[in-house]
């Protein structure tokens, strides 16, 4: 079978008037700050759960277990379901809220969802900062989850709809860039607050209010997207906004494509029923489900929200574990810049494939190094040299993820859905992502306790499977206008059987397909 398709367009979106304006770049940068919510939480929870003061107050059993594990197995130091629930409960709430966010995004626009997400995250951060018992912690985490669910549902869609096709990848990856910056900031704050005599964990959790305030302010100052305006019948405002973000008066062709897509969308009374029942949406359904599943099964969130805990499990000192988390966070940020540079130059597929191969190799090496030192008993100590090698390969693994599955896991699902199913498609993307993030967060420490170093082989095997999946089934979407994505599926050797001719918008004789 051919391994996908590369689409180059000479008609359709390729002839749209206008270009890249400062207005649209600033707008997308501000919108992408919604990723700070998700990133800050990913980074902050792991650091807080490695602070002994926090554990002594809320999870004293874990402290006793840590000291006992020094005489038993290092793999099981932090294996506690209640502690894992503190981390994972957020993602369960995000899963549920993403469905409500889908309806609100479609009916009231992307900005309203962003505002609700920011407010929920703000309230949740205050609950956590002033928590006096585990119940308050969990309630706060659930509210944070609502914020993440709304932000992750609306922000990638907003970015894809505002950006010109030729730089849509780079601007959309601004969302992932904000996530990585949020993770790095959280790791730095965790390191700083760990030096405080008391209540450092409260400062770490409370500062989550800062990205929430940024999100709330952004939802007021950002304009709505032309697509969203058309959905709500605001045709003149939509045309004016399209002219403004493209920097051109003549936007007739692109505006007509958007209107055609909007009219098709209005005929769809139930996007959820359509995306599951109509064959022409089969590719969108598969990738909106499979990509977030695979993104989480890479094991990346093992590193992101359990990095300090993982490094302490491997024998790093308290400060060393937090510093190591800062290092991986910095690698994450820098490597995401690589993706921003490359995604619209070289395409999505090459980044997916190279990143996947790199991650497989690193997971195997890390698992082997840990196995050589700790074996199946979990007893042993790391030499400084071995610790450095493990950290180096974890950083290479993070780099591979950060320029492939990290940003593309949000970009591709947000750009492949027709307007009539876009909120439903993004809701599926977010909910699947959050569900498997919840599972990883809830059971990773238990899996580490039972699977030991073999856990890294498990994640490596899953990355190998998903790399093969991408090679055979994902066509190249670089430079394809978002409302003309039906052409891509129609030209793919596998997916073309599901796409009727009337589902293809735009294009022309100049369009061609090259199998790769």
């Amino acid at each position: 079978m051919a391994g996908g398709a590369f689409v180059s367009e000479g008609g359709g979106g390729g002839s749209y008037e206008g270009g890249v304006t400062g207005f649209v770049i600033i707008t997308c940068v501000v919108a992408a700050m919604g990723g700070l919510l998700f990133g800050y939480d990913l980074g902050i929870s792991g650091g807080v759960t490695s602070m002994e003061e926090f554990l002594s107050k809320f999870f004293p059993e874990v402290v006793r277990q840590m000291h006992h594990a020094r005489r038993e197995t290092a793999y099981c130091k932090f294996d506690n379901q209640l502690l894992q629930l503190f981390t994972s409960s957020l993602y369960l709430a995000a899963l549920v809220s993403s469905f409500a966010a889908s309806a609100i995004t479609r009916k009231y626009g992307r900005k309203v969802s962003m505002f609700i997400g920011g407010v929920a995250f703000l309230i949740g951060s205050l609950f956590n900062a002033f928590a006096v018992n585990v119940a308050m912690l969990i309630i706060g985490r659930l509210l944070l989850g609502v914020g993440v669910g709304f932000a992750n549902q609306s922000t990638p869609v907003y970015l894809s709809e505002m950006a010109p096709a030729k730089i849509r990848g780079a601007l959309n990856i601004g969302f992932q860039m904000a996530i990585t910056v949020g993770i790095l900031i959280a790791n730095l704050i965790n390191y700083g607050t760990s030096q405080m005599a008391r209540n450092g964990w409260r400062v770490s959790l409370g500062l989550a209010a800062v990205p929430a305030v940024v999100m709330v302010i952004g939802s007021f100052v950002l304009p709505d997207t032309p697509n969203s305006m058309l959905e709500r019948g605001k045709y003149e405002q939509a045309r004016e906004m399209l002219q403004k973000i493209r920097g051109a008066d003549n936007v007739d062709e692109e505006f007509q494509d958007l209107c055609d897509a909007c009219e098709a969308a209005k005929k769809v009374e139930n996007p959820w029923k359509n995306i599951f029942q109509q064959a022409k949406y089969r590719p969108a359904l598969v990738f909106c489900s499979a990509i977030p599943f695979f993104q989480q099964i890479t094991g990346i969130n093992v590193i992101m929200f359990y990095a300090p805990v993982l490094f302490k499990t491997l024998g790093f000192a308290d400060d060393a574990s937090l510093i190591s988390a800062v290092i991986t966070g910095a690698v994450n940020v820098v490597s995401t810049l690589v993706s921003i540079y490359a995604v619209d130059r070289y395409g999505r597929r090459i980044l997916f494939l190279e990143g996947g191969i790199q991650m497989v190799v690193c997971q195997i090496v890390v698992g082997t190094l840990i196995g050589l030192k700790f074996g199946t008993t979990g007893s042993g100590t790391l030499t400084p040299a071995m610790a450095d090698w493990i950290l180096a390969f974890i950083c290479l693994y993070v780099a591979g993820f950060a320029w492939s599955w990290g940003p593309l896991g949000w970009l591709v699902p947000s750009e492949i859905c027709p307007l009539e199913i876009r909120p439903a498609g993004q809701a599926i993307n977010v909910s699947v992502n959050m569900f498997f993030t919840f599972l990883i967060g809830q059971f990773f420490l238990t899996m580490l306790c039972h699977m030991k170093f073999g856990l890294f082989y498990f994640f490596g095997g899953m990355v190998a499977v998903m790399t093969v999946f991408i090679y055979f089934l994902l066509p190249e979407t670089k430079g394809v206008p978002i409302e003309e994505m039906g052409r891509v599926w129609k030209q793919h050797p596998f997916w073309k059987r599901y796409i009727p001719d009337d589902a293809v918008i735009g294009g022309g004789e100049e369009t061609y397909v090259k199998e790769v």
Side-chain angles (χ1 to χ4, degrees):
M1 180 187 292
F6 171 81
V7 177
S8 175
E9 68 279 15
S15 60
Y16 287 161
E17 294 287 337
V20 181
T21 63
F23 175 78
V24 77
I25 290 177
I26 292 172
T27 296
C28 288
V29 168
V30 173
M33 291 300 101
L36 281 174
L37 276 68
F38 194 20
Y40 188 85
D41 179 79
L42 283 173
I44 214 70
S45 56
V48 167
T49 53
S50 71
M51 295 181 186
E52 195 150 334
E53 181 192 3
F54 174 81
L55 294 174
S56 297
K57 182 173 180 63
F58 297 106
F59 307 99
E61 178 62 29
V62 176
V63 177
R64 291 191 291 270
Q65 198 167 300
M66 285 170 57
H67 294 296
H68 179 68
R70 290 169 186 166
R71 301 189 300 271
E72 301 292 338
T73 172
Y75 291 120
C76 300
K77 278 183 182 179
F78 294 89
D79 180 19
N80 181 278
Q81 288 297 309
L82 190 58
L83 175 63
Q84 292 177 99
L85 183 62
F86 165 75
T87 298
S88 64
S89 57
L90 180 151
Y91 306 102
L92 197 58
L95 186 162
V96 176
S97 65
S98 66
F99 292 101
S102 170
I104 292 172
T105 297
R106 179 170 183 170
K107 186 172 182 179
Y108 300 107
R110 287 59 169 148
K111 290 175 55 178
V112 173
S113 285
M114 294 163 70
F115 172 76
I116 294 173
V119 170
F121 204 86
L122 177 60
I123 297 172
S125 66
L126 296 177
F127 261 83
N128 277 349
F130 295 102
V132 295
N133 53 45
V134 174
M136 278 190 73
L137 278 179
I138 300 300
I139 291 172
R141 295 289 291 176
L142 292 173
L143 287 168
L144 292 175
V146 173
V148 168
F150 271 84
N152 286 8
Q153 205 281 337
S154 55
T155 303
V157 171
Y158 183 95
L159 292 168
S160 288
E161 291 179 347
M162 289 295 280
K166 59 186 176 182
I167 62 164
R168 183 177 63 242
L171 289 182
N172 193 289
I173 288 174
F175 179 72
Q176 176 68 16
M177 187 68 193
I179 291 176
T180 64
V181 169
I183 292 170
L184 178 58
I185 291 173
N187 288 334
L188 290 168
I189 288 173
N190 277 335
Y191 179 72
T193 57
S194 69
Q195 313 301 314
M196 296 173 61
R198 293 185 59 211
N199 293 326
W201 62 271
R202 291 190 187 276
V203 177
S204 290
L205 295 176
L207 285 175
V210 176
V213 170
V214 172
M215 183 77 166
V216 171
I217 294 174
S219 68
F220 279 107
V221 301
L222 292 174
D224 219 338
T225 69
N227 310 63
S228 181
M229 291 176 178
L230 286 173
E231 277 186 315
R232 289 171 287 139
K234 300 180 179 180
Y235 290 90
E236 283 307 312
Q237 294 98 315
R239 176 183 285 275
E240 291 172 5
M241 181 53 62
L242 188 61
Q243 290 171 332
K244 189 172 184 179
I245 64 179
R246 298 295 180 254
D249 292 330
N250 182 12
V251 293
D252 292 346
E253 185 174 355
E254 184 174 6
F255 185 71
Q256 187 58 52
D257 281 349
L258 293 179
C259 288
D260 291 344
C262 184
E263 289 305 313
K266 286 182 178 179
K267 297 176 182 177
V268 178
E269 296 182 1
N270 190 331
W272 288 98
K273 181 179 179 180
N274 277 35
I275 196 171
F276 282 105
Q277 292 187 358
Q278 291 199 23
K280 67 179 180 180
Y281 301 129
R282 194 66 44 79
L285 176 62
V286 168
F287 282 98
C288 284
S289 304
I291 285 182
F293 163 71
F294 283 135
Q295 187 190 54
Q296 292 311 308
I297 213 69
T298 61
I300 186 62
N301 281 335
V302 167
I303 306 299
M304 290 299 103
F305 53 61
Y306 281 130
V309 170
L310 177 62
F311 288 129
K312 283 184 76 172
T313 296
L314 297 178
F316 287 62
D318 290 354
D319 282 355
S321 68
L322 290 170
I323 291 173
S324 298
V326 171
I327 293 171
T328 57
V331 169
N332 198 15
V333 171
V334 173
S335 300
T336 302
L337 291 173
V338 174
S339 187
I340 290 175
Y341 172 81
V343 69
D344 289 314
R345 287 175 172 83
Y346 307 114
R348 283 66 162 149
R349 279 172 52 84
I350 186 65
L351 292 176
F352 267 129
L353 298 175
E354 190 285 329
I357 294 170
Q358 184 171 324
M359 286 190 287
V360 170
V361 172
C362 291
Q363 290 277 29
I364 292 173
V365 171
V366 170
T368 300
L369 292 176
I370 293 174
L372 289 173
K373 278 298 176 183
F374 292 96
T376 57
T377 63
S379 58
T381 57
L382 286 177
T383 64
M386 184 65 79
D388 289 342
W389 277 111
I390 289 175
L391 178 59
F393 276 98
I394 286 177
C395 286
L396 284 173
Y397 163 81
V398 170
F401 178 86
W403 60 55
S404 62
W405 281 89
L408 299 181
W410 295 106
L411 168 62
V412 172
S414 73
E415 70 180 359
I416 62 174
C417 291
L419 183 62
E420 63 268 23
I421 62 163
R422 193 168 300 152
Q426 186 63 10
I428 292 171
N429 178 38
V430 174
S431 60
V432 172
N433 190 300
M434 293 301 113
F435 177 71
F436 286 99
T437 303
F438 165 75
L439 289 183
I440 294 294
Q442 184 63 41
F443 298 109
F444 164 67
L445 295 176
T446 301
M447 291 170 70
L448 179 63
C449 181
H450 290 85
M451 296 177 69
K452 304 175 175 59
F453 65 90
L455 181 59
F456 295 91
Y457 295 152
F458 167 77
F459 286 129
M462 293 306 300
V463 176
V465 169
M466 65 201 220
T467 301
V468 173
F469 171 85
I470 290 295
Y471 179 80
F472 285 109
L473 295 179
L474 180 68
E476 183 56 73
T477 58
K478 173 176 73 77
V480 182
I482 193 169
E483 302 304 339
E484 298 184 14
M485 208 61 68
R487 290 189 292 110
V488 178
W489 306 118
K490 187 63 176 176
Q491 294 165 341
H492 189 275
F494 178 79
W495 296 115
K496 65 182 179 182
R497 72 192 70 179
Y498 296 103
I499 310 300
D501 292 337
D502 60 2
V504 179
I505 298 174
E509 295 301 320
E510 300 85 354
T511 301
Y512 67 91
V513 61
K514 175 185 175 185
E515 293 185 1
V516 293

